[in-house]
Amino acid sequence: MARTKTKLFAGNRLRQLRQREGMTQAALAECVGISLSYLNQLERNHRPLPDHLLQSLCERFAVGTSWFSDTREAHAVQALRETMADPVFKTAPLSLVQMAEAARHSPELCEAFLTLYRAYTFDQERRSHAPSANTPPLEPYEAVGNWVQDHNNYFHELDCAAESFYEHLFSDDVPLATALAQHLQDRHGLSITHSTALQARGLVWRIDRHKHQIQLPHNQPPESTLFFLAQIIGQLEHNRLMTDILRREGPKDHNAQELARVYLGNYFAGALILPYARFLHTAETLRYDVDELRRHFEVSFEQVCHRLSTMQRVGAEGIPFYFLKLDIAGNILKSFSANRFSQARFGGPCPLWNVFRAFATPGQIQVQLSQTTDDSIYLNVARTVGREGLSYADRPRQIAMVLGCTIADATKTVYAAGLNLEDHTLVVPIGPGCRACGREQCSHRSLPVSGRALDTGSNARGVVPYRALPEH
């Protein structure tokens, strides 16, 4: 299968950049050496953005190429595709081309449409299950996820604050966890103690201000202790910065704001223990080998994967990864994407994904080349994480995660070693979940694609006992 170069239509982002700089179209056209009419066509998405002009814009305005990426458009198309699969739209179907054009030319209208659909589905659910409920149409967890995605999973002010704190505290002679504990003692008068009662109460740390103590579980791994101490420092010393971010641009719903605050606290902790410039340099040197990175920084596999998904500082971008964390039942616990990859909003993930195979080989890395329904090819790295049981009665949660990048970035990673990236014979086709996946011959299909008429046939029976009739 030959690889084709996707044309980049970046009119909205180009317009946003021009407006951010306070420039007219005429001024920008003169600045980059193109005609006013050509710039007008670019901003209206009538012409794709060529490579030479992309590089010129990046150099002139000190932004990375990711600024102009069509990642948001791809995610919007996936959301539209799943939404339009609802049978309620069967009398007004849209083709994939029409959805792509809508996401490209009218992103605000598409978002309004998706918001309306969420309100509709909520109302349908409320009427059938809980007539007295008065919950907002958009669940807080989903609102925070959308908010993080809009920021490309990177919060510059918080990231820089964490990096500055690390550089001020760093010493080759003192382990980071020891330095953080000493800082908490010196600045806040809080000593570290270990408690056997925290786990029974469902707590991972607790500040006892009366006793001037930070209580931690007695049996947690050192990388967890490191992360929790960083969380506490963020809460004690950078709460005002987090509040400013939330007040200025955070979700409006109260519950969503509270969840977003938790997310920012976790973000600060990850940025502190894995400071941006040092971590990116080491990641590139080690070719993004997660196991080597976790040993180098003495952190967990999950902490490295999560941090890799945030490396989108303008002018110093790492590989744009997507990152998902799932349990064994397929419930998505974390989801961030800095590339075009978009998970299913409705229904479970595709069972052909290597993240599910990881549960059969605990602790071992599974590498997979997969192709999504938009023909993008990804290199996926999956592995289980989590602790062992502490007793016979203990039931630790079984978790796996997957980190993925486009095939164009795969060669920068150690995981491409031994793979023929030009041979797509063994590339695994994965979908966004059966409800929105149009692959007819997939023997792993669990239910029909939504919004399409079905034909069960009378003279033959296929691998799947039904097929969707073509769209008109």
Side-chain angles (χ1 to χ4, degrees), residues 185-448:
Q185 175 70 65
D186 295 343
R187 179 163 180 174
H188 302 282
L190 296 171
S191 60
I192 309 297
T193 64
H194 293 85
S195 169
T196 58
L198 284 185
Q199 187 175 8
R201 298 169 61 186
L203 300 175
V204 293
W205 57 262
R206 177 177 178 270
I207 299 176
D208 188 328
R209 297 190 181 276
H210 178 69
K211 296 182 179 180
H212 304 287
Q213 293 179 343
I214 295 172
Q215 298 175 355
L216 299 173
H218 71 288
N219 55 2
Q220 70 183 1
E223 60 267 22
S224 296
T225 297
L226 178 64
F227 187 80
F228 296 148
L229 293 178
Q231 276 184 328
I232 293 169
I233 288 173
Q235 178 173 303
L236 294 176
E237 301 182 24
H238 293 83
N239 188 57
R240 178 173 294 181
L241 175 56
M242 297 178 202
T243 298
D244 289 344
I245 293 172
L246 292 171
R247 183 184 297 117
R248 185 173 65 241
E249 57 197 51
K252 303 308 177 186
D253 174 70
H254 172 74
N255 287 340
Q257 280 242 346
E258 292 304 301
L259 285 179
R261 185 180 296 278
V262 172
Y263 171 82
L264 291 179
N266 292 341
Y267 185 98
F268 176 87
L272 193 162
I273 65 176
L274 297 169
Y276 197 101
R278 289 175 181 266
F279 180 70
L280 179 60
H281 173 73
T282 308
E284 291 176 339
T285 301
L286 299 177
R287 297 186 63 204
Y288 293 88
D289 189 317
V290 178
D291 281 315
E292 285 209 61
L293 284 168
R294 70 182 178 86
R295 282 192 290 269
H296 179 89
F297 289 98
E298 298 182 332
V299 295
S300 71
F301 192 92
E302 177 179 352
Q303 288 165 353
V304 170
C305 289
H306 196 161
R307 185 58 168 148
L308 285 173
S309 73
T310 70
M311 308 304 286
Q312 293 302 302
R313 181 176 294 179
V314 173
E317 297 92 341
I319 291 177
F321 285 103
Y322 77 81
F323 166 65
L324 277 91
K325 178 180 176 181
L326 303 89
D327 67 17
I328 197 170
N331 298 307
I332 295 176
L333 310 178
K334 289 182 182 179
S335 174
F336 308 110
S337 180
N339 53 43
R340 290 171 57 90
F341 186 90
S342 181
Q343 54 137 341
R345 294 192 174 203
F346 310 107
C350 180
L352 291 173
W353 214 0
N354 65 332
V355 68
F356 293 108
R357 180 168 294 183
F359 286 110
T361 56
Q364 297 181 25
I365 289 179
Q366 294 281 340
V367 178
Q368 178 191 60
L369 287 176
S370 64
Q371 184 174 37
T372 52
T373 51
D374 66 353
D375 293 330
S376 298
I377 298 179
Y378 296 89
L379 175 72
N380 307 315
V381 180
R383 206 200 82 164
T384 56
V385 296
R387 62 177 179 83
E388 297 179 348
L390 301 176
S391 68
Y392 177 71
D394 190 20
R395 296 292 182 269
R397 198 174 194 180
Q398 297 186 62
I399 302 295
M401 57 189 53
V402 58
L403 190 70
C405 66
T406 65
I407 196 171
D409 290 316
T411 54
K412 301 174 187 175
T413 76
V414 68
Y415 303 106
L419 298 178
N420 184 351
L421 300 181
E422 300 296 329
D423 182 3
H424 298 170
T425 305
L426 298 180
V427 171
V428 178
I430 64 172
C434 293
R435 171 175 168 167
C437 182
R439 289 192 169 104
E440 299 287 353
Q441 308 303 324
C442 179
S443 60
H444 295 263
R445 178 174 289 281
S446 59
L447 73 164

